[in-house]
Amino acid sequence: MVLRYLTAGESHGKALTVIVEGLPAGMPLLAEHIENDLARRRLGYGRGPRQRFEKDVITLVGGVRHGRTLGSPIAVEIQNSEWFRSDKWHQEMSPEPGATQTPLTQPRPGHADLVGMQKYGFSDARDVLERASARETAARVAAGAIAKQLLSHLGVEILSHVIQLGDVRANSTSLPTAKDLDVIDASEVRCFDAAAEASMIAAIKEAAKEGDSLGGIVESIAHGVPIGLGSHVHWDRKIDALLAQAVMSIQAVKGVEIGDGFEVAGMRGSQAHDPISWDAVNHRYVREGHRSGGTEGGITTGEPLIVRAAMKPLATLNKPTLKTVDVVTKEETVSFKERTDVTAVPALGVVVETMMALVLAGEAQRKFGGDSLSEFVRNAQSFRFTLES
Ligand code: EPS
């Protein structure tokens, strides 16, 4: 791995931490680059009360001096405002010896609770759910914001939008670009189709009234990706495989698609592929269409890279109706009630952008190398000139 990162921390613990290693020195990096994406991750109609007070206050603990990276590991700490707000969490999540007075013994179907308890030998679901929580994605987004900074020096821009919420589908005929991001982020559900937006909000209201939750699908697009990231030569070097693993690792994601992956399965070969033509003005090959999603043979083609992710409805419900078993009494019951979001699909887009950025930054580092930003950019330009000549 050229670019490595590791997150630590629990949802209601004191803080989350992420360390990112393998980025070149001399890259401008400000706290606000990270804060912007963290703020975008908190957006979205249907989030629970916690998002109203979580501020994601960050501290750059290492790897950055005078606004530039040093080439050393970058460490970021993100405070959990929740921990500072209430004594409850000081006690529940204390690292000191002790025990909880309120163990959670009624595991939620669809969450990590039961299998996590079985696997790790716990009798309190909190020992599992605190880490399984999607709060952890805040730490990933901080890492991804740093990766996006590196990619910006290659002209790569990544954005996302919601294309389905519950059973409401957006009518997305054109591919949004970075210029559209402000409009998308201004939408309460981060949807680029205003007509669908209203129906999505209505669906969330309806589910909220019934104490239920909703899933959906997001599409994330990277424009300006260099040709040649990933490789056809081995299974674990294919860019599609790296992206699929990264995106599938996001909490509650159950499906990943590259380009029109599922749709082309039902087409004829003569219709399913993007024809190649030569752009004599810009001296480059272009694909007429986006069906392949910007990869062929596990390598980026330079066309927009398109990844879709399907999120299941959250397993935590405001009105517990899911049948389960109490792990102490073994009696039938319903899963425990927790304060929760109705949907986190609008935030998922920002997390998918993050995982794409981390994969692309790692693969760009692998291809172009360089210990300083200028060396990295020079190497990338040199490769591009070779292709254009
Ligand atoms: C989450 C449950 C909710 C979400 C949380 C993820 O938290 P709480 O139980 O504290 O209300 O708000 O997401 C975040 C805190 C966040 O920053 O994304 C869960 O069970 O995954």
Side-chain angles (χ1 to χ4, degrees):
M1 271 284 197
V2 185
L3 182 78
R4 299 181 292 169
Y5 55 96
L6 195 63
T7 73
E10 277 70 41
S11 179
H12 300 96
K14 190 172 179 186
L16 299 168
T17 304
V18 61
I19 298 180
V20 185
E21 202 271 329
L23 288 166
M27 183 179 90
L29 185 65
L30 305 174
E32 70 189 52
H33 293 139
I34 300 169
E35 285 160 354
N36 284 347
D37 263 359
L38 287 172
R40 292 180 61 234
R41 196 195 67 94
R42 292 194 299 273
L43 293 173
Y45 193 85
R47 300 299 311 264
R50 182 155 176 199
Q51 297 310 314
R52 287 197 277 280
F53 56 77
E54 266 312 338
K55 294 284 177 272
D56 293 333
V57 176
I58 69 158
T59 310
L60 275 170
V61 180
V64 184
R65 179 167 182 250
H66 298 159
R68 290 180 318 138
T69 57
L70 296 172
S72 54
I74 301 172
V76 185
E77 189 184 89
I78 308 170
Q79 260 183 32
N80 286 329
S81 316
E82 176 81 288
W83 195 85
F84 290 92
R85 272 166 51 98
S86 118
D87 277 351
K88 173 182 169 190
W89 297 117
H90 293 212
Q91 281 155 28
E92 276 293 339
M93 298 306 294
S94 171
E96 299 300 323
T100 181
Q101 300 306 308
T102 50
L104 300 174
T105 58
Q106 296 157 2
R108 293 161 295 178
H111 216 286
D113 303 346
L114 179 59
V115 277
M117 284 194 276
Q118 289 177 304
K119 180 173 167 66
Y120 287 92
F122 295 133
S123 49
D124 176 6
R126 187 165 300 288
D127 285 326
V128 178
L129 69 89
E130 283 289 336
R131 180 63 186 167
S133 161
R135 173 77 190 143
E136 186 260 351
T137 61
R140 299 197 205 192
V141 167
I146 300 170
K148 282 182 184 174
Q149 284 305 305
L150 179 72
L151 293 168
S152 73
H153 294 276
L154 301 182
V156 179
E157 294 175 315
I158 307 180
L159 71 141
S160 63
H161 62 135
V162 171
I163 58 171
Q164 184 174 333
L165 213 152
D167 61 1
V168 183
R169 286 195 73 96
N171 187 11
S172 68
T173 44
S174 66
L175 219 48
T177 68
K179 286 200 299 294
D180 302 313
L181 197 52
D182 286 345
V183 174
I184 293 167
D185 283 347
S187 154
E188 284 193 285
V189 280
R190 304 198 62 257
C191 178
F192 195 43
D193 172 357
E197 177 190 35
S199 309
M200 287 175 181
I201 292 172
I204 296 170
K205 281 185 179 153
E206 198 57 36
K209 229 188 292 165
E210 289 159 24
D212 221 324
S213 63
L214 293 177
I217 302 176
V218 303
E219 179 175 81
S220 183
I221 307 147
H223 293 274
V225 176
I227 294 168
L229 305 187
S231 175
H232 64 289
V233 300
H234 200 60
W235 69 270
D236 64 356
R237 292 191 52 198
K238 287 175 185 275
I239 197 86
D240 322 52
L242 297 171
L243 288 165
Q245 186 195 14
V247 173
M248 191 64 106
S249 77
I250 301 169
Q251 292 82 342
V253 167
K254 281 294 205 183
V256 178
E257 182 181 36
I258 311 283
D260 293 343
F262 286 96
E263 195 187 332
V264 295
M267 292 179 161
R268 293 205 170 180
S270 53
Q271 302 299 314
H273 302 289
D274 306 319
I276 299 172
S277 56
W278 177 247
D279 174 351
V281 178
N282 297 305
H283 283 251
R284 61 186 189 102
Y285 299 101
V286 286
R287 306 295 192 285
E288 299 167 12
H290 301 298
R291 289 213 180 278
S292 81
T295 79
E296 283 174 349
I299 307 174
T300 55
T301 61
E303 297 290 339
L305 188 62
I306 305 169
V307 178
R308 301 198 187 105
M311 185 184 223
K312 65 185 178 183
L314 299 174
T316 318
L317 304 180
N318 274 311
K319 188 167 120 200
T321 45
L322 284 172
K323 183 181 143 188
T324 188
V325 172
D326 188 298
V327 296
V328 176
T329 63
K330 304 288 188 282
E331 275 167 16
E332 185 179 317
T333 178
V334 286
S335 52
F336 61 81
K337 179 176 160 26
E338 279 268 289
R339 176 189 65 188
T340 184
D341 308 327
V342 177
T343 185
V345 174
L348 171 67
V350 180
V351 186
V352 176
E353 291 173 21
T354 287
M355 299 314 287
M356 282 178 84
L358 286 161
V359 168
L360 293 176
E363 288 306 297
Q365 274 281 70
R366 187 206 281 271
K367 174 129 183 74
F368 304 124
D371 295 300
S372 67
L373 179 67
S374 54
E375 190 183 0
F376 169 76
V377 171
R378 206 163 52 238
N379 293 347
Q381 276 168 350
S382 155
F383 177 67
R384 207 176 67 222
F385 292 151
T386 314
L387 291 176
E388 288 171 3
S389 59

